[in-house]
Amino acid sequence: MINYTQFELKNGLTVIHHPDPNSKLCVLNILYKVGSKDENPEKTGFAHLFEHLMFGGSVNVSDFDNQLQIAGGDNNAFTSNDITNYYITLPANNIETGFWLESDRMLSLDFSQKVLDVQKAVVIEEFKERYINQPYGDVWLKLLPLAYKVHPYRWPTIGKDFSHIENATLDDVKAFFYSFYAPNNAILVISGNIDLETTKELTNKWFGPIPARVINRQQYQIEPQQTEKRIEHVYNDVPLDLIIMGYHICERMHPDYYAVDLMTDILGGGKSARLFNELLKKQKLFSEIDCYQSGDFDAGLVIVEGKLIKGVTHQQAEEAIEKVLNELIENGITETELEKVKNKSETNIRFNDMGVLNKAMKLAYAAYYGDIELANTEVSEYLKVSAQDIQRVAKTYLKSTNCNVLYYHAKHESTK
Amino acid sequence: MNQPNRTIAPETQKIIHLGFPVCKKISGKTGVKIYHLFAPVDEVLRVEFVFDAGIAKQTQKLIATGVNRLLTEGTQTKTAEQIADSLDFYGSYLQTRCTVDDAQLTLYCLKKHLHKCLEIVLDVIKNAQFPDNEIDIYKKNNKQRLKVLQQKTSYLCRRAFYETLFGETSPISSYSLPIDYEKFSRETLVEFHRKYYADTIKYITLSGDVDNGVIEQLSQFSASFNPSQSDNKYKNEIIIPESKIIKKEKSAQATLRVGRKIINRSNADYRKLQLVNLVLGGYFGSRLMKNIREDKGLTYGIYSVLESYLDDGCFYVEADVNNDKTHVAIEEIYKEINTLCVELVPEKELSTAKNYLLGSLLRSIDGPFTIVDRNRILIDYGFKSNYYDEFIEIINTTTSEELRDLCKKYFKQENLVEIICGA
């Protein structure tokens, strides 16, 4: 049980307080409701580039990291398709430094050309390090545009291409800031060894005077129902063949979500899962295989991905996967399997609810989803799922007309 | 609303007291030590079963890791699938881990299922069978995984670095080639298991929602083992490390490492050297990060690291950079190191680094599992329980002169080797 108090400032900032008197730390987590799905399709990778710029100096503080380090603090941030999240951890008695720094960069950035130029170079190196210089690093760059034709989930958060990052100008940066970085587009969570009164006082002092802004969000299109299976071949200099299949699923707040999530555990969650036992252990077709869902707010994907044992063809691999999925669709699951995945979810959630930072992020996400109580009701949502629900969602989402397959070929073995 | 004064930083306090939580210790009937730590976390438990079965103990490559991974793949009475099924049914996780110095099983479970889980874990440790079929799957899949790793510049660079520093026989550089899997036989696995797992255990740790009932269960569990006795000496050969360039065609970036063998935690200089390392490249505000990432944009990240093993240690700087920028990066790395060897770190920078280091120590004792991880350093190296409280005092009183002298003593350019792997 995570206890919390939620309140809102006049400028529209949502504030959530969670006390943990056992901790010596305090966390300030701020979630901005802007992610790569809010980007212009011609300027992708911007939300993430922007995340880097948020450390490059704000209107009154030129050295964000240094000031935080002086106070014994640490911080980081991440960007997803949906949101950008920043967090600061400090010794509890130095938390005001966090308020000072985080509020100043919400007030305004310094917008320096030098910072922009350096961070563009850093992000391009990050692009290479994570997506190019890794075997299979470009899988998402290929799979997403196959699965999504109109929705902005069709590009990854790093962006479609380096050139979009290279072309970013200071005017783009300013426009992006004023469109999305505003108290009325953010959720602030304060957790740890701090009481509610102090939280209110410090929040009002540092965030209260920041004016609300007009949020300039472009409408984007919902992905239409896919009507036939899509297949694409990729040839690359990798040692092993890989297959990755993406099935469209429901959005995060859809009633089917929990059943879909448990379904992926039945199929791919660890060493007792069906795909692992049937295809890796028994049939020995794969050296690695997994199934998971993408965790997006809008309608996401269930992914099945596996590396093929040498000599196994993509067709064999695909048929074998489909056979396991069809078995689930036709015959459902046993009560024992259901209890197993529910028990695992419960353990998972309880272990995740440890530590002030995890709890802060969980509250921020729940508030972003529009139902903060979710931070506490998640376990019971999983417990409500029945074996029939899992069979039903398997039937709904795991059909082949809903599937996008990438045949990733180890180049030296191909004819091309 | 009035704006607060945003041009002045709020006042901050220094960390002068840590209050490091030390695990309680009991001895089971046979003398096996159980270290335990309570935290107010409802129902949640972590149990670590630590064995003297690290890579340092193996006489043939891959055996220590292989035994560790294959423990859960079948016993006299249960198949791998049955083991996984029953653990999963209780919603628990059993992870295996093998390092240079030891090997372990870690159980994550809810208190209500501890009893059932311990039965499974005991069976796995005592009666692992290493079925041929499971060995075949393990070999085949790991050979495939190794092929993928061998495509990564970071892997190739790391491997060459350890090999040149520690030589081929040290457990730290015990990297395998696909061919090593051919020599991997059931008999060697069974023998290693019999010797290092079946009857002896190094110690057990227990953290989370611990109560007397839980301690009693583990105490009974421990009665099936004797405490292991072992020295931590490695088979070391004397070698002269050499710089190396490894060609990896068509890589988009090069990975580079600059470093050397160095003292480990047991040396009196180590804690202060951690501060030198921090200033150089141990955090985001370090000189290397500021220069090479934040000023020149040459890399996504550059770090310097001190790695301590029970019988050895090393220091290195690592980064992924553009292929044509490796020489600039290496020049800048040496420039930063050489500056630290001759010039005093300004007071402000020093106090920032100290505060950050102590803050990260505080962060590392937030939550029972990480506290136990820290306690294991005390156990493994035989340090006194006030080691970390003393750390605060030592860091707070270290001077710029000491940092400069330590840098000169340990990080001198002529003692460092460079490994570059890229196109």
Side-chain angles (χ1 to χ4, degrees):
Chain A
M1 174 76 184
I2 306 175
N3 57 322
Y4 61 88
T5 310
Q6 183 177 9
F7 59 97
E8 198 178 304
L9 301 193
K10 287 204 185 81
N11 57 16
L13 178 67
T14 300
V15 187
I16 299 159
H17 167 251
H18 162 70
D20 183 349
N22 291 309
S23 179
K24 293 173 199 271
L25 305 173
C26 208
V27 165
L28 191 155
N29 186 88
I30 191 157
L31 179 154
Y32 286 97
K33 299 175 199 172
V34 57
S36 58
K37 72 178 173 191
D38 298 304
E39 291 162 351
N40 175 336
E42 301 311 314
K43 293 178 180 179
T44 66
F46 215 87
H48 169 253
L49 171 65
F50 198 85
E51 174 210 314
H52 280 246
L53 301 176
M54 284 286 277
F55 297 91
S58 55
V59 59
N60 295 296
V61 190
S62 62
D63 51 346
F64 182 96
D65 284 295
N66 187 40
Q67 292 296 339
L68 189 62
Q69 287 146 5
I70 291 172
D74 199 9
N75 72 92
N76 215 330
F78 59 86
T79 308
S80 77
N81 291 334
D82 303 310
I83 59 125
T84 312
N85 191 67
Y86 300 83
Y87 54 94
I88 292 177
T89 314
L90 276 156
N93 50 13
N94 288 346
I95 189 61
E96 188 160 3
T97 302
F99 279 90
W100 170 55
L101 294 170
E102 202 58 80
S103 66
D104 201 53
R105 63 181 181 177
M106 181 191 275
L107 183 68
S108 180
L109 288 187
D110 179 31
F111 301 118
S112 131
Q113 186 65 48
K114 155 98 184 163
V115 168
L116 176 62
D117 291 342
V118 168
Q119 291 308 318
K120 276 158 63 167
V122 169
V123 169
I124 288 167
E125 290 308 308
E126 180 181 359
F127 198 133
K128 289 183 195 160
E129 192 174 318
R130 292 189 167 172
Y131 296 82
I132 308 296
N133 207 31
Q134 300 290 339
Y136 316 102
D138 60 348
V139 157
W140 292 98
L141 288 162
K142 309 281 187 198
L143 182 70
L144 293 175
L146 184 65
Y148 293 98
K149 296 302 169 195
V150 301
H151 190 283
Y153 285 172
R154 67 186 183 277
W155 61 82
T157 50
I158 194 79
K160 274 182 203 167
D161 194 274
F162 303 159
S163 65
H164 287 195
I165 296 158
E166 275 161 0
N167 295 338
T169 68
L170 213 49
D171 284 338
D172 294 332
V173 172
K174 282 183 192 161
F176 197 85
F177 181 82
Y178 289 108
S179 300
F180 298 110
Y181 280 76
N184 44 319
N185 197 39
I187 297 159
L188 174 68
V189 184
I190 306 297
S191 76
N193 200 338
I194 182 170
D195 60 35
L196 180 61
E197 283 320 298
T198 316
T199 300
K200 282 188 171 163
E201 185 195 314
L202 290 174
T203 311
N204 274 309
K205 174 178 172 187
W206 294 102
F207 287 93
I210 301 172
R213 297 184 178 122
V214 180
I215 306 306
N216 186 10
R217 200 184 301 275
Q218 298 296 311
Q219 282 302 315
Y220 53 80
Q221 284 174 276
I222 297 302
E223 190 67 21
Q225 177 78 49
Q226 185 176 334
T227 52
E228 56 178 11
K229 188 176 194 172
R230 299 173 189 145
I231 300 175
E232 192 171 309
H233 295 262
V234 177
Y235 298 86
N236 210 340
D237 191 13
V238 291
L240 316 169
D241 285 347
L242 171 130
I243 188 166
I244 180 161
M245 304 164 77
Y247 294 87
H248 290 281
I249 53 164
C250 57
E251 62 275 11
R252 175 63 182 81
M253 295 309 281
H254 191 282
D256 282 350
Y257 171 81
Y258 295 95
V260 170
D261 200 35
L262 290 182
M263 174 186 80
T264 63
D265 288 341
I266 299 269
L267 289 168
K271 281 158 76 174
S272 79
R274 287 187 176 195
L275 288 167
F276 182 86
N277 271 303
E278 189 56 38
L279 304 186
L280 187 145
K281 281 290 186 80
K282 289 198 187 114
Q283 298 187 33
K284 299 176 187 168
L285 299 174
F286 292 90
S287 59
E288 289 169 58
I289 188 156
D290 203 1
C291 173
Y292 53 91
Q293 52 103 1
S294 58
D296 294 307
F297 185 71
D298 295 342
L301 298 173
V302 158
I303 303 290
V304 177
E305 81 171 288
K307 294 207 178 86
L308 278 54
I309 291 283
K310 207 171 169 149
V312 176
T313 67
H314 280 95
Q315 284 79 0
Q316 275 175 296
E318 186 182 0
E319 274 168 30
I321 289 171
E322 283 181 341
K323 204 168 161 215
V324 173
L325 304 187
N326 286 333
E327 163 68 22
L328 175 64
I329 292 169
E330 277 157 32
N331 299 321
I333 60 166
T334 64
E335 283 302 320
T336 317
E337 264 182 307
L338 180 67
E339 193 173 341
K340 177 182 84 178
V341 287
K342 284 183 178 178
N343 282 342
K344 285 202 94 168
S345 293
E346 188 189 352
T347 316
N348 249 333
I349 291 168
R350 283 181 187 264
F351 275 88
N352 277 331
D353 284 354
M354 295 172 68
V356 283
L357 182 58
N358 281 353
K359 287 186 282 186
M361 280 190 202
K362 191 170 186 182
L363 287 165
Y365 264 100
Y368 168 67
Y369 293 152
D371 178 11
I372 189 169
E373 253 307 281
L374 261 185
N376 287 317
T377 57
E378 226 184 353
V379 174
S380 57
E381 293 297 331
Y382 281 108
L383 293 180
K384 276 187 218 157
V385 174
S386 70
Q388 290 74 24
D389 288 333
I390 292 183
Q391 189 176 6
R392 180 178 53 76
V393 297
K395 209 176 277 178
T396 311
Y397 301 110
L398 298 182
K399 52 188 177 202
S400 86
T401 54
N402 195 26
C403 181
N404 302 278
V405 195
L406 210 62
Y407 286 9
Y408 203 111
H409 299 268
K411 213 187 216 164
H412 55 273
E413 285 173 357
S414 80
T415 45
K416 276 199 182 176
Chain B
M1 211 182 281
N2 285 336
Q3 291 286 350
N5 186 346
R6 295 183 185 275
T7 56
I8 303 169
E11 281 194 22
T12 56
Q13 291 169 27
K14 278 199 183 319
I15 299 167
I16 44 168
H17 176 69
L18 189 64
F20 181 76
V22 179
C23 288
K24 292 195 175 126
K25 178 171 86 175
I26 64 151
S27 289
K29 227 185 283 167
T30 57
V32 172
K33 304 271 189 300
I34 302 170
Y35 297 89
H36 59 93
L37 185 97
F38 168 80
V41 284
D42 208 15
E43 276 286 308
V44 168
L45 283 177
R46 184 183 86 170
V47 193
E48 293 176 302
F49 306 91
V50 184
F51 298 87
D52 256 321
I55 296 166
K57 295 291 183 296
Q58 72 190 14
T59 48
Q60 186 184 320
K61 278 185 178 178
L62 297 171
I63 296 303
T65 322
V67 169
N68 185 249
R69 296 283 184 282
L70 287 163
L71 277 178
T72 52
E73 301 302 307
T75 67
Q76 280 153 359
T77 51
K78 280 200 174 90
T79 64
E81 189 177 358
Q82 285 167 332
I83 294 166
D85 244 341
S86 46
L87 285 166
D88 278 353
F89 183 76
Y90 297 112
S92 58
Y93 291 80
L94 185 63
Q95 291 172 353
T96 55
R97 179 165 169 256
C98 184
T99 69
V100 168
D101 292 313
D102 56 35
Q104 69 185 66
L105 287 169
T106 312
L107 172 70
Y108 295 87
C109 72
L110 299 184
K111 192 154 78 177
K112 60 187 174 191
H113 300 309
L114 178 66
H115 186 70
K116 288 284 173 198
C117 292
L118 286 181
E119 280 176 13
I120 302 165
V121 174
L122 188 63
D123 183 36
V124 159
I125 298 171
K126 285 271 173 195
N127 307 315
Q129 281 299 294
F130 309 99
D132 286 323
N133 179 45
E134 298 293 345
I135 294 176
D136 284 346
I137 295 172
Y138 176 80
K139 272 160 69 166
K140 202 188 278 177
N141 294 352
N142 276 281
K143 266 195 277 183
Q144 292 228 58
R145 231 166 259 156
L146 189 57
K147 278 192 193 158
V148 178
L149 276 178
Q150 285 174 330
Q151 295 294 311
K152 299 190 184 191
T153 54
S154 55
Y155 172 82
L156 295 172
C157 180
R158 182 165 74 230
R159 178 181 173 143
F161 176 75
Y162 289 127
E163 280 170 358
T164 191
L165 242 55
F166 297 105
E168 300 254 326
T169 58
S170 166
I172 300 171
S173 48
S174 178
Y175 282 89
S176 50
L177 294 168
I179 190 169
D180 293 314
Y181 281 96
E182 304 312 325
K183 299 175 209 148
F184 191 86
S185 73
R186 179 164 184 272
E187 288 64 39
T188 17
L189 295 173
V190 168
E191 175 61 18
F192 191 88
H193 171 258
R194 195 190 53 73
K195 207 163 161 190
Y196 296 108
Y197 284 93
D199 302 313
T200 56
I201 195 164
K202 196 171 176 186
Y203 54 81
I204 295 170
T205 79
L206 179 56
S207 46
D209 194 0
V210 177
D211 58 27
N212 285 336
V214 169
I215 295 171
E216 181 49 35
Q217 285 187 57
L218 263 304
S219 173
Q220 279 176 22
F221 180 99
S222 77
S224 304
F225 299 90
N226 286 312
S228 54
Q229 313 279 338
S230 154
D231 73 40
N232 301 309
K233 289 272 166 271
Y234 303 159
K235 280 176 269 141
N236 269 328
E237 49 185 326
I238 309 240
I239 62 159
I240 298 148
E242 281 172 4
S243 294
K244 225 178 245 172
I245 294 173
I246 303 157
K247 269 276 174 220
K248 172 81 180 67
E249 298 299 334
K250 284 186 267 177
S251 56
Q253 284 174 317
T255 303
L256 54 94
R257 265 196 191 203
V258 175
R260 62 166 296 191
K261 264 173 94 143
I262 217 155
I263 55 166
N264 72 357
R265 282 184 203 280
S266 302
N267 188 294
D269 283 341
Y270 192 80
R271 283 177 280 191
K272 288 186 182 180
L273 197 62
Q274 282 180 280
L275 187 59
V276 183
N277 180 63
L278 191 83
V279 171
L280 174 66
Y283 73 133
F284 201 81
S286 71
R287 293 194 170 187
L288 289 172
M289 199 68 142
K290 275 190 178 148
N291 176 351
I292 293 165
R293 171 177 150 141
E294 291 299 289
D295 185 54
K296 302 202 169 63
L298 293 177
T299 181
Y300 175 51
I302 180 160
Y303 306 93
S304 68
V305 177
L306 283 175
E307 247 171 40
S308 178
Y309 302 92
L310 287 179
D311 190 34
D312 222 323
C314 65
F315 155 77
Y316 59 83
V317 176
E318 182 177 281
D320 284 1
V321 300
N322 243 339
N323 283 306
D324 58 352
K325 293 288 177 10
T326 50
H327 295 289
V328 189
I330 286 180
E331 233 169 75
E332 292 298 324
I333 291 168
Y334 286 135
K335 203 180 92 192
E336 294 299 347
I337 291 174
N338 293 336
T339 308
L340 276 180
C341 287
V342 290
E343 285 174 26
L344 293 178
V345 176
E347 194 43 49
K348 213 176 135 197
E349 184 183 356
L350 179 61
S351 87
T352 303
K354 287 177 176 179
N355 292 351
Y356 178 81
L357 182 59
L358 298 179
S360 62
L361 197 54
L362 205 60
R363 278 188 291 283
S364 78
I365 57 164
D366 192 51
F369 304 157
T370 50
I371 296 174
V372 170
D373 295 344
R374 287 274 166 186
N375 270 274
R376 281 187 59 183
I377 293 175
L378 310 187
I379 301 166
D380 292 341
Y381 287 85
F383 295 150
K384 293 200 191 101
S385 60
N386 66 349
Y387 181 84
Y388 283 107
D389 289 315
E390 225 176 56
F391 198 112
I392 302 269
E393 173 77 18
I394 289 175
I395 295 304
N396 277 330
T397 54
T398 302
T399 65
S400 293
E401 286 76 11
E402 286 177 283
L403 288 195
R404 180 199 55 202
D405 296 346
L406 284 168
C407 193
K408 240 189 286 187
K409 185 167 169 191
Y410 291 107
F411 294 168
K412 260 206 203 138
Q413 180 172 348
E414 63 248 42
N415 297 326
L416 305 175
V417 293
E418 303 149 20
I419 308 290
I420 302 169
C421 177

